Amino acid sequence: AQSVAQPEDQVNVAEGNPLTVKCTYSVSGNPYLFWYVQYPNRGLQFLLKYITGDNLVKGSYGFEAEFNKSQTSFHLKKPSALVSDSALYFCAVRDTNRDDKIIFGKGTRLHILP
Amino acid sequence: DTEVTQTPKHLVMGMTNKKSLKCEQHMGHRAMYWYKQKAKKPPELMFVYSYEKLSINESVPSRFSPECPNSSLLNLHLHALQPEDSALYLCASSQDLGRGGTEAFFGQGTRLTVV
């Protein structure tokens, strides 16, 4: 079965520093990977996706993610964190073996410290 | 327009009530989803509709009844809910199923409290 894992419950980063939120995946076939962000009491917002092509994917709000096939990872990154980036981040994968069901990781809470 | 609109934003209902959650999108998407999300947890898939037909039911109790009247609308009918059903209910849509790489767009959710 397709799955993603987010090993960190929480990540703390000082404002202005680079940030990384980790995600590893386990898929059979081609991986279709996504990152979403959720602000308090709101829905999920799509940030970026990897389907094929360049391993570095650029997305919304200055975020990017690096797809690494050998390490089965898809870490989310940003060169300079903003306090407004504080939110809950979910890595996700499409389960192409079952009607493209979206499977989410457990989520990582990102705290950007002023 | 990349919006998925959910109504109401908040709902408080008793265990004997019947209520409905509504979801609407005008992006021409043919796949629509209902998710349930508890605090600080990832969304849990409940139902998926593809071309207005139920494609996935994740063994959801019958007190939750989905309906897809047309390609733009998705409803979730609620009856005889339990307090543990209190959660944020999220609707989402995507272009369609079977393409793997299409992202889903989420509504802002309905915060449901069962008393």
Side-chain angles (χ1 to χ4, degrees):
Chain A
Q2 323 283 50
S3 66
V4 288
Q6 293 179 245
E8 302 153 319
D9 290 333
Q10 182 167 312
V11 172
N12 297 323
V13 177
E15 186 177 23
N17 282 3
L19 70 87
T20 299
V21 183
K22 295 180 180 178
C23 174
T24 58
Y25 65 88
S26 174
V27 304
S28 55
N30 295 324
Y32 299 111
L33 300 163
F34 305 82
W35 276 102
Y36 288 86
V37 60
Q38 186 175 32
Y39 297 97
N41 296 311
R42 305 297 293 274
L44 277 68
Q45 294 179 32
F46 167 73
L47 283 177
L48 50 79
K49 67 180 178 182
Y50 174 83
I51 303 174
T52 187
D54 287 342
N55 290 339
L56 186 64
V57 179
K58 293 190 182 297
S60 306
Y61 313 120
F63 284 94
E64 57 190 28
E66 186 172 6
F67 173 74
N68 188 316
K69 188 172 182 178
S70 62
Q71 296 185 5
T72 62
S73 66
F74 188 56
H75 300 332
L76 182 71
K77 300 182 179 185
K78 188 173 182 181
S80 178
L82 300 173
V83 172
S84 57
D85 293 330
S86 299
L88 187 57
Y89 290 80
F90 291 102
C91 182
V93 65
R94 283 275 195 184
D95 187 345
T96 54
N97 295 324
R98 188 161 180 237
D99 290 329
D100 278 0
K101 175 179 168 180
I102 302 171
I103 299 171
F104 289 93
K106 66 177 182 179
T108 298
R109 186 158 298 281
L110 179 62
H111 285 285
I112 307 301
L113 309 171
Chain B
D1 183 4
T2 57
E3 223 174 78
V4 176
T5 304
Q6 289 187 243
T7 55
K9 288 186 168 49
H10 301 275
L11 178 62
V12 179
M13 60 184 292
M15 289 188 284
T16 58
N17 291 159
K18 287 185 181 180
K19 296 287 184 183
S20 296
L21 308 185
K22 297 185 183 301
C23 175
E24 190 169 4
Q25 57 87 15
H26 296 286
M27 295 178 278
H29 289 171
R30 304 314 298 268
M32 296 187 76
Y33 313 73
W34 280 116
Y35 284 86
K36 173 183 177 180
Q37 187 181 27
K38 291 282 202 178
K40 300 181 182 180
K41 297 292 186 181
E44 298 173 18
L45 183 65
M46 300 175 72
F47 303 103
V48 181
Y49 274 82
S50 176
Y51 289 83
E52 296 121 69
K53 292 185 179 179
L54 186 63
S55 176
I56 296 177
N57 177 342
E58 291 287 279
S59 302
V60 178
S62 60
R63 57 185 184 270
F64 296 92
S65 176
E67 178 196 20
C68 190
N70 60 54
S71 61
S72 299
L73 296 174
L74 186 66
N75 298 322
L76 185 63
H77 304 297
L78 313 173
H79 173 56
L81 295 193
Q82 303 297 311
E84 58 264 29
D85 296 322
S86 299
L88 182 67
Y89 287 83
L90 295 166
C91 174
S93 71
S94 66
Q95 191 171 4
D96 57 24
L97 298 181
R99 296 195 185 194
T102 56
E103 63 271 27
F105 293 85
F106 284 79
Q108 297 302 297
T110 295
R111 174 70 61 188
L112 175 67
T113 303
V114 181
V115 297

